[in-house]
Amino acid sequence: MKKFILSSVLFCLTSFSINIKAQVVTFEPSFATENDTLTLTFDATKGNGGLSGFTGDVYLYTGLITDKSSDPSDWKYVRPAGNSGWESYPAELKMTPLGNDLWEFAYPSSVREFYGVAGSDTVKEVTLLFRGTNDGTGAPDAVGRGDGGSDIFLELTTGSISTTWLQPGGESRVIGSTETLEFTGIGTSTSPGLNLTVFQNEQQVASVENDTVNYTFGPEAAGNYDLKLLAEDQTGARDSSMFRVVVTDQSTLYESRPAGLDDGITYGSSGTVQLSLFAPGKDEVFVIGDFNDWQLDADFIMKKDSLSPDSVWFWTEINGLTPGQQYRMQYLVDGNIRIADPYSELVLDPFNDRFIPESVFPNLPDYPDGITTDMVGVIFPGKTPYNWTAAEYQRPAQDELVIYELLVRDFLEDHSYSSLIDSLDYLERLGVNAIELMPVNEFDGNISWGYNPAFHLALDKYYGDPDTFKRFVDEAHKRGIAVILDVVLNHATGQNPLYRLYDSGSNPYFNEVARHPFNVFNDMNHEYSGTRYYTKRVIEYWLEEYKVDGFRYDLSKGFTQVNSGDDVGAWGNYDQSRIDIWKDYASHQWSVEPESYLIMEHFGSNTEEKVLADYGLMLWGNMNGPYSQSTMGYSENSNIYGVLSESRNFNDRHLVGLMESHDEQWIMFKNIAFGNSSGNYNVRELGTALGRQKIAGAFFFTLPGPKMIWQFGELGYGYGDAGEQCLNDQSYCPPSAPGRTSPKPIRWDYYNTPDNPERVKLYKTWSALITLRKASPVFSDPVNTTYDLNGLTKSIVLEHTDTDVVIIGNFGVVSTTLNVPFTTTGTWYDYFEGSSTTINDTDIELTLQPGEFKIFSTREFPTPEDGLATSSEEGPSDIPQEFNLSQNYPNPFNPVTTMQYDVARSGKVLLEVYDILGRKVATLVNANRSAGSYTARFDASDLSSGMYVARLVAGGTVQIRKMTLIK
């Protein structure tokens, strides 16, 4: 019985550019229709090799492509029915092991019956994947797929006559000029008189009146040979199959690359493009694309430069391309691996590009459906370069950075760089001087955080086109705002070309098993010279092509070959090899852009982090926990000192302090969900919770060293009328909360049409704090510092020749009197109140209401908008709404009386007593007071009976109360 060869390539291809050497699946009968009963044999060593050597059970996961399918991913009649394919393992889909990595599945009925196809649907293809499980529960332990991780497709016969080349397998083959190739063609017809004819380059070379024809091909010279198998019957019905043989003269293929040619795509003049691919262990590489109709062509086989078995380059030069025109292309490696160039700047996705709006990426080239499979690269010779205009831009000093981390997807409704440009005014008014974008290089799918990178040099199209991204960088630079990219070079997905070049276990770029915990996808081997070269090219490209200012390196602790397995503690130990890798990358980055930023998400031992920091690298300093504890009003674990580089003993301020990032629970959510309370003061009330964010900012932005905030933190994101917004990876999150990496509500209404004006006041407060930070070197380079940052009352003392600054705050939920550690006597200025105080004694006490803070300086700074530092709306009910002096009690009195006065907002308070002739007889209060209610005691033992007047001066008001002393 004949067997038909099945591969991962769609058999509806209109060209014959794909040379399939790997027989992933064979099936019987040879010309199967939707009414036949099939028997499949799966070779687990072929395709992606995911089940090679697997000893558990293997199950079929399958469906159909019908005339109702919109594309190859639109499976119909999926088995198991109603299942994503990973939850259950029905016995009726279990494969039979044949040994030697072969597995068999025999259909119990015809294709239509097995899948339950509706009467009106026409079946075109059977779709297949194979899932292996060791225990029959949960996600599969391994999955067998086609080449490059693709789905597997079986094309069914639908006409009255069919023919195919049975031997050799696939649709093309490359041979040497002295080789021969045996062909076997078969055909079938529902009518008699079947005739099979073989044509070679349109010349008939064989013909039989039978269902099988044999032909021995022997080339005359190097070049392209097209073998056509034509089937005809007596009714005139016809069918044909094509096969291309490319004959090469091996002696002409070995040639050294031109001196200085880099890997990837190099553009020359007059429509010339040079291509270079580093691929040790590979035999042959063709370039296929729009310029050669996607056919294997002897003129497009790449030259081979082999210095040694582990140093092999393939290269070629393509001439005659039209400048300004885009060309889609791929490499076809060893006949069965189709990849875009690893250094592609733009790639096309067969499944996800169709969901990208024209408004986001205008004129996106179409994917060549029906011609090839897998990701396709785009080259554009003679493209007009972008005209950069921010000529006066100077990169902010790294110890003065205030970074705004954002995810384009969750920041803007249309997720576009165009709208991101429009938001720059908002960010500039806030005062940040750097924007850190979560990954924007090409990642799998469209809806993603971006930590699933496929192509490290290509810009992901879901956010826009390259020129608009360059315009965003240019416009940010015009405002003095740096652009930092979050890059993921610890790992790559299965779509990465360097991963797809090799079978599992033989890839020099990637570890077969990750060397550290928390790895996702495929762990890169940064000890390998090829990986080092690739990483350095990635660094160069973004710095030079897009003029970005630096990088935040995700999972930087994973850049090691020291195997810690699942031991998190061992992974964090001092690792000299990892330090050497990072020093190498840092030195290279700074050789390209000497002042560029290099920020690491490391979280390793402080010993290792100090070495890296002292070398010049910056490291994330995550203080989400202590800041959350402080704003919630709890003293336990509330020490925020760790936000400072001094806490790590770094030589320089290279710790990027953060209260929140994309990885942490929003502080606002914790305030609302778990905040402390006392009496009428409750952190869980929205207005109060927003006020707590203000004091957090006061003890964050004023501290020396680079800082980072997470998007919408300046508006109190984390809780709102749309419902609780919670990173849904904690047991306390409500069921309605979005998943950890799922899209989150985009709340520009908090700013544009605020449900509570306190949100905008929070934005303005943080803006005022950042403005103050920029106004004096005392905040970036103080001469002396004194910190008390533990517990619920905190203080910061910064000293500099420009000004001294004292910051005090009450993170508790009850009013507290604390000492103000003034550094000197003289005039001090209250930043938010715009008032001044003469300090004669540095030992001064001040009562602060819960959530209240004060910033004093010896230099006067412009006063922010009135009322920012206090929250009245939905705040504690015991804070007075206006200034007031109550009548004394008792009245008349002898000789002592008490009077109450209310302070609506912090500031200078003067309370004095005068006699009936206007002479001052007592000063009861002459000091700053926070918002609240107070009492003052007046002792008139030394005064005579009579009428007296109490006079209150506060908040721009004067109030008088008469009182009578009777002795």
Side-chain angles (χ1 to χ4, degrees):
M1 182 176 291
K2 301 182 180 72
K3 289 189 176 182
F4 193 74
I5 298 171
L6 175 67
S7 80
S8 61
V9 179
L10 293 175
F11 278 74
C12 62
L13 296 182
T14 57
S15 74
F16 33 87
S17 62
I18 311 302
N19 176 5
I20 301 302
K21 294 181 179 179
Q23 300 177 11
V24 184
V25 175
T26 59
F27 65 92
E28 302 170 347
S30 300
F31 295 99
T33 71
E34 62 181 17
N35 297 311
D36 285 323
T37 300
L38 304 180
T39 298
L40 309 178
T41 303
F42 166 56
D43 186 343
T45 65
K46 307 302 182 183
N48 73 332
L51 287 171
S52 179
F54 189 74
T55 58
D57 293 328
V58 175
Y59 291 79
L60 187 66
Y61 174 46
T62 182
L64 299 174
I65 300 297
T66 73
D67 56 343
K68 303 299 191 301
S69 299
S70 59
D71 57 62
S73 65
D74 187 14
W75 290 21
K76 307 295 184 182
Y77 304 102
V78 175
R79 299 285 304 270
N83 185 275
S84 69
W86 312 128
E87 286 87 354
S88 63
Y89 298 86
E92 65 269 20
L93 296 177
K94 187 175 182 180
M95 306 280 290
T96 300
L98 302 179
N100 297 320
D101 276 320
L102 297 178
W103 301 81
E104 183 180 85
F105 182 80
Y107 280 59
S109 58
S110 72
V111 171
R112 291 189 70 88
E113 293 172 346
F114 180 77
Y115 292 96
V117 180
S120 61
D121 290 2
T122 299
V123 180
K124 295 183 176 181
E125 294 166 317
V126 175
T127 57
L128 304 166
L129 291 178
F130 302 93
R131 48 197 181 128
T133 176
N134 289 309
D135 55 12
T137 61
D141 296 296
V143 180
R145 300 178 178 272
D147 296 317
S150 64
D151 297 342
I152 300 171
F153 298 83
L154 183 166
E155 185 182 29
L156 299 178
T157 299
T158 57
S160 62
I161 187 170
S162 295
T163 187
T164 189
W165 288 113
L166 181 62
Q167 181 185 349
E171 297 185 345
S172 58
R173 183 63 58 88
V174 180
I175 64 173
S177 57
T178 61
E179 298 179 67
T180 60
L181 196 60
E182 297 296 330
F183 281 82
T184 299
I186 58 175
T188 185
S189 175
T190 58
S191 300
L194 178 66
N195 182 269
L196 299 178
T197 305
V198 179
F199 296 86
Q200 179 176 308
N201 286 351
E202 300 184 355
Q203 298 294 317
Q204 180 176 323
V205 293
S207 181
V208 296
E209 293 182 359
N210 201 338
D211 64 356
T212 303
V213 62
N214 295 300
Y215 172 68
T216 300
F217 169 79
E220 299 174 357
N224 304 320
Y225 295 84
D226 296 330
L227 280 295
K228 177 180 178 181
L229 176 61
L230 175 65
E232 298 178 280
D233 62 26
Q234 64 183 20
T235 68
R238 289 186 168 196
D239 186 45
S240 63
S241 290
M242 299 295 298
F243 195 99
R244 168 161 284 196
V245 181
V246 177
V247 179
T248 62
D249 183 350
Q250 296 292 316
S251 64
T252 66
L253 295 183
Y254 288 88
E255 185 176 334
S256 298
R257 293 189 305 164
L261 180 62
D262 290 328
D263 286 349
I265 304 163
T266 302
Y267 296 102
S269 58
S270 304
T272 298
V273 175
Q274 291 178 308
L275 304 172
S276 176
L277 177 68
F278 183 67
K282 300 303 173 182
D283 295 324
E284 64 196 28
V285 180
F286 281 84
V287 185
I288 55 176
D290 291 334
F291 36 76
N292 61 8
D293 295 327
W294 292 89
Q295 298 186 25
L296 281 189
D297 191 322
D299 291 335
F300 288 87
I301 189 170
M302 301 180 78
K303 302 282 189 180
K304 190 172 184 179
D305 183 351
S306 180
L307 301 176
S308 63
D310 59 356
S311 296
V312 179
W313 284 268
F314 295 86
W315 68 275
T316 192
E317 182 175 287
I318 302 175
N319 300 302
L321 302 178
T322 302
Q325 181 174 327
Q326 295 181 335
Y327 295 86
R328 301 166 297 180
M329 62 150 286
Q330 285 178 320
Y331 296 127
L332 181 60
V333 182
D334 287 353
N336 65 344
I337 303 173
R338 294 169 305 286
I339 59 170
D341 189 284
Y343 300 89
S344 294
E345 301 176 31
L346 176 64
V347 293
L348 305 178
D349 186 315
F351 306 118
N352 296 294
D353 286 359
R354 70 196 68 188
F355 303 109
I356 298 174
E358 174 76 12
S359 60
V360 172
F361 198 119
N363 304 313
L364 176 63
D366 293 330
Y367 184 87
D369 284 317
I371 298 176
T372 189
T373 60
D374 300 300
M375 303 290 273
V376 167
V378 179
I379 57 176
F380 25 83
K383 181 182 179 182
T384 302
Y386 179 83
N387 181 31
W388 296 93
T389 58
E392 304 301 318
Y393 169 69
Q394 291 186 348
R395 191 170 287 135
Q398 65 180 21
D399 58 351
E400 298 177 6
L401 286 172
V402 179
I403 304 167
Y404 192 94
E405 184 192 18
L406 68 84
L407 171 61
V408 178
R409 183 199 72 187
D410 290 352
F411 191 64
L412 302 159
E413 291 288 351
D414 70 351
H415 52 79
S416 75
Y417 296 126
S418 294
S419 293
L420 191 57
I421 293 170
D422 294 338
S423 73
L424 285 172
D425 289 344
Y426 169 88
L427 296 173
E428 184 180 18
R429 287 193 299 271
L430 179 60
V432 300
N433 57 14
I435 298 171
E436 181 178 304
L437 296 175
M438 285 175 67
V440 297
N441 59 277
E442 183 72 25
F443 45 77
D444 286 358
N446 290 328
I447 310 299
S448 174
W449 268 10
Y451 296 105
N452 50 342
F455 288 77
H456 288 100
L457 281 81
L459 194 70
D460 195 277
K461 305 174 293 297
Y462 190 64
Y463 301 146
D465 62 279
D467 276 353
T468 307
F469 182 72
K470 290 176 181 177
R471 187 161 64 89
F472 159 70
V473 176
D474 208 15
E475 291 297 325
H477 284 175
K478 288 179 182 178
R479 293 164 170 81
I481 299 175
V483 177
I484 301 168
L485 296 187
D486 194 340
V487 291
V488 187
L489 287 158
N490 170 81
H491 56 265
T493 70
Q495 290 200 90
N496 180 268
L498 299 178
Y499 179 78
R500 294 187 57 244
L501 267 175
Y502 298 93
D503 294 332
S504 177
S506 63
N507 195 323
Y509 290 95
F510 295 89
N511 296 310
E512 184 175 11
V513 178
R515 300 302 177 97
H516 59 86
F518 301 123
N519 185 75
V520 291
F521 303 105
N522 305 295
D523 183 35
M524 298 184 76
N525 175 6
H526 284 275
E527 294 284 5
Y528 176 53
S529 60
T531 305
R532 293 278 190 104
Y533 175 86
Y534 176 73
T535 300
K536 291 176 181 178
R537 287 287 305 281
V538 171
I539 292 169
E540 291 172 19
Y541 175 74
W542 291 100
L543 291 173
E544 295 177 341
E545 180 67 20
Y546 289 102
K547 295 189 182 298
V548 301
D549 298 280
F551 307 97
R552 177 266 190 189
Y553 290 92
D554 179 70
L555 206 60
S556 59
K557 194 165 58 180
F559 287 43
T560 179
Q561 287 299 102
V562 176
N563 194 349
S564 54
D566 295 327
D567 189 334
V568 177
W571 182 34
N573 289 339
Y574 185 93
D575 183 345
Q576 186 62 49
S577 65
R578 182 166 54 206
I579 291 173
D580 294 341
I581 289 171
W582 275 113
K583 284 185 175 181
D584 181 38
Y585 286 151
S587 297
H588 182 76
Q589 178 174 322
W590 294 326
S591 73
V592 180
E593 277 292 331
E595 301 300 323
S596 61
Y597 313 122
L598 198 160
I599 305 171
M600 307 171 71
E601 184 208 27
H602 209 63
F603 304 134
S605 70
N606 193 68
T607 306
E608 181 171 326
E609 291 203 354
K610 175 173 169 53
V611 172
L612 295 168
D614 293 347
Y615 193 71
L617 293 80
M618 291 187 284
L619 300 106
W620 262 19
N622 177 16
M623 293 298 290
N624 177 259
Y627 274 99
S628 297
Q629 286 292 103
S630 297
T631 61
M632 287 189 292
Y634 300 110
S635 60
E636 186 178 2
N637 299 322
S638 62
N639 192 347
I640 61 174
Y641 181 62
V643 80
L644 291 160
S645 295
E646 291 93 315
S647 70
R648 312 291 183 91
N649 197 32
F650 293 173
N651 290 344
D652 299 292
R653 293 190 171 97
H654 286 171
L655 189 72
V656 180
L658 58 96
M659 297 187 290
E660 292 178 328
S661 75
H662 64 273
D663 272 331
E664 276 74 50
Q665 189 65 270
W666 292 294
I667 295 178
M668 254 313 267
F669 177 85
K670 293 182 182 179
N671 288 346
I672 294 292
F674 310 114
N676 200 359
S677 65
S678 177
N680 292 325
Y681 188 88
N682 190 345
V683 175
R684 301 187 189 189
E685 294 180 1
L686 179 58
T688 307
L690 289 166
R692 307 290 290 194
Q693 299 297 88
K694 296 178 184 179
I695 187 173
F699 281 80
F700 180 70
F701 297 110
T702 60
L703 289 169
K707 300 291 182 290
M708 190 189 81
I709 59 177
W710 170 229
Q711 65 184 24
F712 295 132
E714 72 282 2
L715 294 173
Y717 192 91
Y719 186 85
D721 291 343
E724 290 170 324
Q725 298 154 6
C726 184
L727 283 181
N728 200 4
D729 59 348
Q730 301 289 341
S731 59
Y732 55 71
C733 288
S736 60
R740 179 176 180 79
T741 61
S742 300
K744 307 298 187 299
I746 299 171
R747 300 309 303 267
W748 280 102
D749 56 307
Y750 284 170
Y751 182 77
N752 296 321
T753 54
D755 62 331
N756 187 307
E758 292 300 310
R759 293 192 185 277
V760 176
K761 285 179 67 176
L762 172 58
Y763 169 91
K764 291 180 177 180
T765 301
W766 279 18
S767 176
L769 290 166
I770 298 172
T771 299
L772 179 63
R773 172 189 172 92
K774 295 178 178 179
S776 172
V778 70
F779 298 104
S780 59
D781 190 25
V783 175
N784 294 306
T785 60
T786 305
Y787 302 118
D788 183 2
L789 299 175
N790 195 15
L792 295 180
T793 57
K794 304 182 194 294
S795 64
I796 300 170
V797 179
L798 307 173
E799 299 178 67
H800 193 278
T801 54
D802 180 72
T803 184
D804 287 0
V805 174
V806 173
I807 305 163
I808 57 172
N810 177 15
F811 285 86
V813 293
V814 296
S815 61
T816 301
T817 300
L818 67 161
N819 183 71
V820 185
F822 289 115
T823 58
T824 182
T825 58
T827 302
W828 285 79
Y829 300 91
D830 186 320
Y831 177 57
F832 278 99
E833 291 298 327
S835 60
S836 63
T837 301
T838 300
I839 301 299
N840 297 317
D841 184 352
T842 57
D843 187 18
I844 300 295
E845 288 189 342
L846 187 64
T847 299
L848 296 181
Q849 296 302 310
E852 187 179 10
F853 65 93
K854 288 285 188 179
I855 300 178
F856 299 106
S857 62
T858 56
R859 170 187 158 192
E860 185 175 13
F861 296 95
T863 306
E865 179 181 322
D866 187 39
L868 291 183
T870 59
S871 297
S872 58
E873 185 161 334
E874 292 192 41
S877 59
D878 57 348
I879 292 181
Q881 301 302 302
E882 59 185 20
F883 292 91
N884 183 58
L885 176 62
S886 300
Q887 187 64 53
N888 66 305
Y889 180 83
N891 189 36
F893 68 97
N894 179 24
V896 177
T897 188
T898 301
M899 61 194 73
Q900 178 177 316
Y901 62 95
D902 298 331
V903 179
R905 62 177 182 272
S906 300
K908 180 70 174 293
V909 174
L910 181 64
L911 180 58
E912 299 170 319
V913 180
Y914 294 83
D915 64 16
I916 196 65
L917 298 177
R919 295 173 298 190
K920 184 169 63 174
V921 297
T923 298
L924 304 182
V925 180
N926 182 8
N928 284 312
R929 286 288 185 265
S930 304
S933 296
Y934 299 85
T935 58
R937 183 174 180 271
F938 175 40
D939 185 346
S941 300
D942 297 333
L943 299 177
S944 303
S945 298
M947 184 75 68
Y948 291 88
V949 176
R951 182 174 183 264
L952 175 72
V953 181
T957 67
V958 178
Q959 297 192 30
I960 294 175
R961 292 288 182 266
K962 295 180 181 179
M963 49 189 178
T964 303
L965 171 63
I966 300 177
K967 288 188 174 180

